[in-house]
């Protein structure tokens, strides 16, 4: 099976239950943001910009657990910010598992190995030695760390930890191969750490997933190469979604100056070009997403968004109408459902009900539409069944060549603090994108903003991608 039977059955059961009850609107995935603090400052991160005034705030554990009960989504995606910074992350995961939810911890991976060592220290017994030896051999733990694990004291043994669980996935943010990813997250070595964390997780028996956002300037071939590499690591699942950002000022320029929308936005037309091969990818790789959403991305059908099916809860409450746009926050999920005028949003039959929705095709708005049967076409149920219950794609064969291709940045001396930064700031690269993101960040002394962890300035990310493409040619 493409995905574990228990998970698929749980989600199918949830949909059937609400269909039988004729519930008009219900949640499928809760995007839970217990905090917006992050250890990275990625170019174009929406969350650390939108919530810049509440970066130090956190949602208390009880409120996080209550939010999950409140909307009763079978899946919870714990995101942020960086959720592994949340002081009660272990208790949160444990509490959500007790509620029998499927959990995705969306992380930049920088603290993943530490959390897995905590688990090993808490549960260490001679039976774990084989795995520890495998980790030592692969240099995923050091000799010193192995000793700490073996000699764990009572405090380490009584700690609440994140154990491998068939209902839980580490969901690692990866937006490209080493050169691109490290530039986007603006720190050398992050891609390498993502790979190390995924390898360690696989050895220890955790389930792993990755999430990737595609921007206007994303090189689609690189995304395909990234999937091949991640598949060779036996990553269990991947989500991929187009990035989207609406800016009224840019829209105004389109109108007043007669510019093309594609000068500013990842338009629907452009998204469809980028995702033209999504159905082939989903045959080769374990991509999460309904076949209907994939058809929508590839331009083969229209869909209406169902943003209430993937609600977001954070320090300010229930965010409406969707993960991307904020027109208000509400205290309760049901309150949000009843107070938001949902008919004001989305695109119906190609016509945007809200200008801001015009080019949006994001996963968090449209993927549930496919599962919920919005814009249902005959045969959709069968397609869904065949996709989920069909054979799991085989891992892409691992090879030294594939790994060499993946580690094309700091590993081969092209770190962003050295050659890459110089190349990106070169006159030639600057010509195609103006001032460097790095220079600008240094001047502003603040988080810039969009990224896999949220909406934001995709233009800024695109500017960087354009320079990356030029830097690669130099
Ligand atoms: S995109 Fe994610 S990892 Fe990057 S700064 Fe934002 S919250 Fe942190
Ligand atoms: S179309 Fe996109 S931006 Fe508009 S409400 Fe739906 S998910 Fe949100």
């Amino acid at each position: 099976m493409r995905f574990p039977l228990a998970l698929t059955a749980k989600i199918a059961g949830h949909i059937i239950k609400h269909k039988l009850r004729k519930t008009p609107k219900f949640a499928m995935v809760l995007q839970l943001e217990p905090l917006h603090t992050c250890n990275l400052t990625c170019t174009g991160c929406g969350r650390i910009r939108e919530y810049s005034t509440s970066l130090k705030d956190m949602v208390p554990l009880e409120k996080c657990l209550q939010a999950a009960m409140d909307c009763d989504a079978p899946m919870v995606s714990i995101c942020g910010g960086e959720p592994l910074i949340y002081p009660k992350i272990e208790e949160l995961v444990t509490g959500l598992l007790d509620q029998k939810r499927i959990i995705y911890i969306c992380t930049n991976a920088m603290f993943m190995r530490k959390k897995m060592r905590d688990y090993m220290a808490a549960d260490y017994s001679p039976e774990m030695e084989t795995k520890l030896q495998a980790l030592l051999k692969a240099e995923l733990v050091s000799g010193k760390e192995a000793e700490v694990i073996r000699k764990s004291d009572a405090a380490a043994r009584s700690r609440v930890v994140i154990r491998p669980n068939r209902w839980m996935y580490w969901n690692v943010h990866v937006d490209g191969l080493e050169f691109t990813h490290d530039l986007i997250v603006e720190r050398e070595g992050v891609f390498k750490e993502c790979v190390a964390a995924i390898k360690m997780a696989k050895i220890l028996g955790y389930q792993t997933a990755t999430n990737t956002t595609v921007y206007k300037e994303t090189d689609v071939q690189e995304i395909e190469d990234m999937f091949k590499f991640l598949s060779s690591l036996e990553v269990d699942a991947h989500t991929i979604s187009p990035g989207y950002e609406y800016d009224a000022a840019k829209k105004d320029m389109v109108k007043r100056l007669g510019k093309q929308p594609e000068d500013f936005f990842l338009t629907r037309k452009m998204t469809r070009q980028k995702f033209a091969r999504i159905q082939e990818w989903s045959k080769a790789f374990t991509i999460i997403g309904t076949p209907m959403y994939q058809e929508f991305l590839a331009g083969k059908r229209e869909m209406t968004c169902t943003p209430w099916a993937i609600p977001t809860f954070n320090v300010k409450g229930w965010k409406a109408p969707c993960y991307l746009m904020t027109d208000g926050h509400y205290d309760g999920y049901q309150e949000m459902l009843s107070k938001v005028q949902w008919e004001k949003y989305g695109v119906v039959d190609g016509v945007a009900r809200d200008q801001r929705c015009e080019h949006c095709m994001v996963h968090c708005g449209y993927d549930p539409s496919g599962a919920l049967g919005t814009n249902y076409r005959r045969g959709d149920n069968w397609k869904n069944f065949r996709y989920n219950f069909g054979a799991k794609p085989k891992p892409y064969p691992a090879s030294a060549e594939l790994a060499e291709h993946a580690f094309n940045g700091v590993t081969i001396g092209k770190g962003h603090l050295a050659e890459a930064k110089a190349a990106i700031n070169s006159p030639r690269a600057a010509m195609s994108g103006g001032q460097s993101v790095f220079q600008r960040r240094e001047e502003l002394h603040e988080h810039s903003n969009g990224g896999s962890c949220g909406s934001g300035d995709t233009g800024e990310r695109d500017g960087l991608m354009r320079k990356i493409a030029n830097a690669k040619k130099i």
Side-chain angles (χ1 to χ4, degrees):
M1 268 188 75
R2 183 174 285 265
F3 304 110
L5 176 62
L7 269 68
T8 307
K10 187 172 184 70
I11 294 159
H14 181 76
I15 296 174
I16 292 166
K17 178 180 83 181
H18 283 289
K19 290 270 175 196
L20 290 174
R21 288 182 189 168
K22 296 195 174 18
T23 316
K25 291 182 176 64
F26 57 92
M28 295 286 295
V29 182
L30 165 62
Q31 300 269 61
L32 181 59
E33 298 174 344
L35 81 178
H36 290 117
T37 314
C38 192
N39 53 316
L40 295 181
T41 53
C42 306
T43 301
C45 170
R47 280 323 195 241
I48 58 178
R49 171 186 275 181
E50 182 177 350
Y51 293 94
S52 61
T53 55
S54 55
L55 280 179
K56 292 202 175 77
D57 296 347
M58 291 185 202
V59 184
L61 173 66
E62 297 68 31
K63 246 182 148 178
C64 287
L65 295 171
Q66 187 54 49
M69 307 251 284
D70 192 8
C71 73
D72 197 30
M75 268 188 279
V76 179
S77 175
I78 310 175
C79 32
E82 170 50 52
L84 296 186
I85 294 177
Y86 185 61
K88 298 263 177 193
I89 185 66
E90 289 86 358
E91 288 81 356
L92 178 56
V93 171
T94 308
L96 292 172
L97 287 172
D98 288 346
Q99 291 182 10
K100 307 227 173 317
R101 307 202 189 270
I102 302 162
I103 303 166
Y104 284 79
I105 306 176
C106 299
T107 174
N108 57 40
M110 298 304 281
F111 302 119
M112 249 175 86
R113 284 201 286 168
K114 158 86 175 68
K115 294 294 180 189
M116 291 187 280
R117 288 198 303 273
D118 288 348
Y119 146 66
M120 294 183 80
D123 285 14
Y124 183 77
S125 70
E127 287 83 68
M128 204 183 257
E129 196 55 37
T130 316
K131 286 182 178 168
L132 192 50
Q133 289 300 331
L135 293 172
L136 279 162
K137 194 171 168 214
E139 296 180 8
L140 297 169
V141 296
S142 66
K144 205 170 149 195
E145 287 162 348
E147 274 318 291
V148 173
I149 290 167
R150 289 187 187 109
K151 293 182 180 152
S152 54
D153 57 15
R157 290 198 165 266
S158 59
R159 192 176 287 155
V160 185
V161 292
I162 301 173
R163 295 187 168 83
N165 188 300
R166 67 177 176 141
W167 301 103
M168 190 215 100
Y169 287 80
W170 294 112
N171 188 6
V172 180
H173 161 205
V174 188
D175 273 352
L177 299 175
E178 187 180 45
F179 186 88
T180 303
H181 186 73
D182 283 358
L183 277 164
I184 286 175
V185 302
E186 299 196 21
R187 191 182 295 180
E188 288 179 349
V190 176
F191 180 84
K192 204 179 252 181
E193 185 55 40
C194 290
V195 173
I198 288 172
K199 284 182 175 173
M200 180 165 174
K202 294 301 300 181
I203 290 173
L204 291 175
Y206 289 93
Q207 298 185 98
T208 55
T210 57
N211 66 80
T212 302
T213 307
V214 171
Y215 295 89
K216 202 168 103 181
E217 300 291 339
T218 297
D219 175 354
V220 177
Q221 184 56 50
E222 177 170 350
I223 295 298
E224 194 167 319
D225 293 346
M226 179 196 78
F227 278 141
K228 284 180 189 166
F229 177 63
L230 295 171
S231 169
S232 77
L233 301 176
E234 303 195 24
V235 168
D236 299 281
H238 314 276
T239 53
I240 180 164
S241 177
Y244 180 59
E245 172 221 15
Y246 176 83
D247 183 329
K250 291 175 186 169
K251 186 77 183 178
D252 182 56
M253 285 175 82
V254 172
K255 208 169 147 192
R256 283 189 302 108
L257 305 177
K259 296 253 184 196
Q260 294 303 307
E262 40 274 34
D263 290 344
F264 303 109
F265 302 109
L266 181 62
T267 60
R268 285 197 158 199
K269 189 173 154 205
M270 291 163 81
T271 298
R272 286 167 174 156
Q273 285 164 356
K274 298 268 179 205
F275 282 83
R277 284 166 53 75
I278 180 82
Q279 289 167 299
E280 281 170 55
W281 293 345
S282 69
K283 280 188 195 127
F285 312 111
T286 41
I287 290 180
I288 302 176
T290 61
M292 289 74 87
Y293 178 56
Q294 290 165 12
E295 287 174 7
F296 171 63
L297 285 173
K300 296 183 179 169
R301 71 191 292 162
E302 285 298 337
M303 266 188 171
T304 307
C305 78
T306 48
W308 34 264
I310 304 195
T312 303
F313 183 78
N314 62 33
V315 289
K316 299 214 168 147
W318 293 92
K319 182 180 183 299
C322 63
Y323 188 70
L324 293 183
M325 291 199 312
T326 312
D327 285 350
H329 290 92
Y330 295 84
D331 289 339
Y333 177 66
Q334 291 303 327
E335 183 194 349
M336 178 177 78
L337 284 188
S338 62
K339 287 193 176 160
V340 173
Q341 289 178 277
W342 300 100
E343 64 285 356
K344 278 181 21 192
Y345 299 104
V347 179
V348 178
D349 297 329
V351 180
R353 295 192 282 201
D354 183 306
Q355 240 192 1
R356 296 170 295 176
C357 299
E358 192 178 350
H359 294 291
C360 168
M361 298 177 83
V362 298
H363 165 267
C364 53
Y366 288 88
D367 194 25
S369 311
L372 297 174
T374 316
N375 313 95
Y376 177 79
R377 279 192 201 162
R378 208 163 151 214
D380 280 354
N381 287 340
W382 169 240
K383 270 187 215 164
N384 228 352
F385 180 86
R386 207 173 43 186
Y387 188 73
N388 287 302
F389 289 87
K392 186 175 179 174
K394 288 200 167 55
Y396 196 84
S399 68
E401 200 187 351
L402 189 63
E404 250 173 56
H405 186 56
F407 289 101
N408 61 353
V410 64
T411 305
I412 56 164
K414 285 192 171 181
H416 82 265
L417 297 177
E419 280 185 38
K421 186 172 174 180
I424 278 179
N425 290 335
S426 74
R428 182 175 153 188
M431 265 167 54
S432 64
Q435 207 179 11
S436 155
V437 168
F438 302 106
Q439 286 170 357
R440 215 165 46 242
R441 288 178 52 76
E442 278 151 22
E443 283 162 17
L444 290 172
H445 294 293
E446 66 176 21
H447 290 314
S448 42
N449 113 56
S452 295
C453 305
S455 60
D457 187 351
T458 58
E460 185 160 331
R461 180 74 55 99
D462 276 320
L464 179 62
M465 297 283 210
R466 200 176 314 124
K467 288 174 205 156
I468 289 171
N470 275 298
K472 280 180 180 167
K473 284 182 219 148
I474 291 168

